[in-house]
Amino acid sequence: MVSWLDEWAYRNELAKLNITFKLTLTFVWLIWALCGTNVVRCIIVVWLFSWLLYHARLPWRVCVRFFVIIVLVVIGSCVPLLFTVDQTIHFVSENMAEAATICLRALASSFALFFLAITTPFFRIVHGLSRWHVPKAFIELLLLTYRFIFVLEKAAMQLFMTVRIKNGERSWRLASLAVAQLFRQAMRDYEATIIAQAARNVSFIFPICGDEQLPRKYVIEACVWFVVLLMMEVLYVNVS
């Protein structure tokens, strides 16, 4: 899953788009998704879909795949809000509006972060954060976490493949043993990565991205979308 996401981050048409512009858009989307109305959150999702399909040239299956996953996770997390337990389980229809708001807020926020992750190589995100004078310790922690994710994914694939080949059966005992062994193997691989870095005298030098692009059409389109969002926000508030 992580390798798949990282692969598309380099293969899309927005990979070299100015990272400051992307980070600014993502930050505004997140603020608007958290504080705006439900109509605006729906427009943000449509906006992100159009950019991923039309500008980034990503296959629609990739976008729909993530969208379905995040929708299932969000709905599963919000279902308990619709029920109350008082000797028996009761459905609370009054919480429908609140649950819908939470679902749309989580969906719009997650999709905004997904847009940044799948259209931007990680080293460009690091470059953008360093340009924004984010503390160096925080960026180094992000780099270490990013490398550890790939180590963990590789160890998980190897171990679960081994369990399937040897046993071909599924049980809680085998699952617990696999998870324990996965953790040990991941720690060993990660320790080896840190030792190799120290042996090669590798330091955290943030790359300079000199091939960034910022076509005027993206700036104009973003401004038009923001005007539409403002108009819909004002119209929704006045009507309600």
Side-chain angles (χ1 to χ4, degrees):
M1 180 69 177
V2 180
S3 301
W4 163 80
L5 188 69
D6 190 66
E7 177 185 355
W8 282 110
Y10 287 88
R11 292 175 57 186
N12 72 92
E13 297 295 328
L14 296 179
K16 295 184 179 181
L17 186 63
N18 186 278
I19 185 57
T20 301
F21 178 71
K22 278 188 186 177
L23 287 175
T24 303
L25 278 180
T26 304
F27 181 74
V28 174
W29 284 328
L30 285 175
I31 296 299
W32 224 321
L34 293 174
C35 304
T37 59
N38 289 338
V39 174
V40 170
R41 294 184 182 111
C42 293
I43 295 176
I44 289 175
V45 173
V46 174
W47 179 2
L48 292 170
F49 253 115
S50 65
W51 273 51
L52 289 174
L53 296 176
Y54 179 71
H55 292 307
R57 303 292 182 182
L58 291 175
W60 64 270
R61 292 184 181 86
V62 174
C63 303
V64 172
R65 177 182 177 183
F66 177 82
F67 185 78
V68 171
I69 291 174
I70 192 62
V71 165
L72 293 177
V73 172
V74 169
I75 292 178
S77 302
C78 293
V79 164
L81 297 175
L82 302 177
F83 297 90
T84 181
V85 179
D86 183 14
Q87 294 182 349
T88 58
I89 300 177
H90 300 282
F91 177 77
V92 184
S93 58
E94 291 80 6
N95 292 344
M96 284 288 293
E98 181 182 358
T101 299
I102 294 175
C103 284
L104 287 174
R105 182 182 294 138
L107 180 63
S109 303
S110 301
F111 217 64
L113 294 175
F114 172 71
F115 173 85
L116 180 65
I118 201 170
T119 61
T120 313
F122 188 77
F123 76 93
R124 293 186 183 274
I125 297 178
V126 170
H127 172 65
L129 294 176
S130 62
R131 186 185 294 176
W132 277 13
H133 303 290
V134 174
K136 186 177 180 180
F138 178 77
I139 299 179
E140 291 181 357
L141 183 61
L142 283 180
L143 286 170
L144 289 173
T145 305
Y146 177 72
R147 293 169 182 172
F148 179 70
I149 288 174
F150 288 96
V151 171
L152 186 63
E153 183 186 33
K154 179 181 177 182
M157 291 179 61
Q158 292 176 345
L159 285 173
F160 282 106
M161 187 177 297
T162 302
V163 170
R164 181 178 299 178
I165 292 175
K166 286 185 176 180
N167 302 25
E169 56 182 278
R170 300 177 182 178
S171 67
W172 286 109
R173 186 182 68 83
L174 289 176
S176 61
L177 290 175
V179 170
Q181 185 61 27
L182 166 65
F183 182 76
R184 295 193 204 97
Q185 184 65 33
M187 289 297 104
R188 294 194 195 100
D189 292 344
Y190 190 62
E191 184 180 6
T193 301
I194 298 300
I195 294 175
Q197 274 190 322
R200 296 174 184 175
N201 196 24
V202 176
S203 59
F204 290 99
I205 300 176
F206 305 137
I208 298 176
C209 304
D211 56 348
E212 290 186 333
Q213 305 167 359
L214 185 57
R216 185 178 299 179
K217 65 177 182 178
Y218 294 131
V219 179
I220 295 175
E221 185 174 342
C223 293
V224 171
W225 275 102
F226 282 130
V227 170
V228 172
L229 290 180
L230 280 173
M231 292 175 60
M232 294 301 299
E233 193 83 50
V234 173
L235 181 62
Y236 184 85
V237 172
N238 290 337
V239 171
S240 59

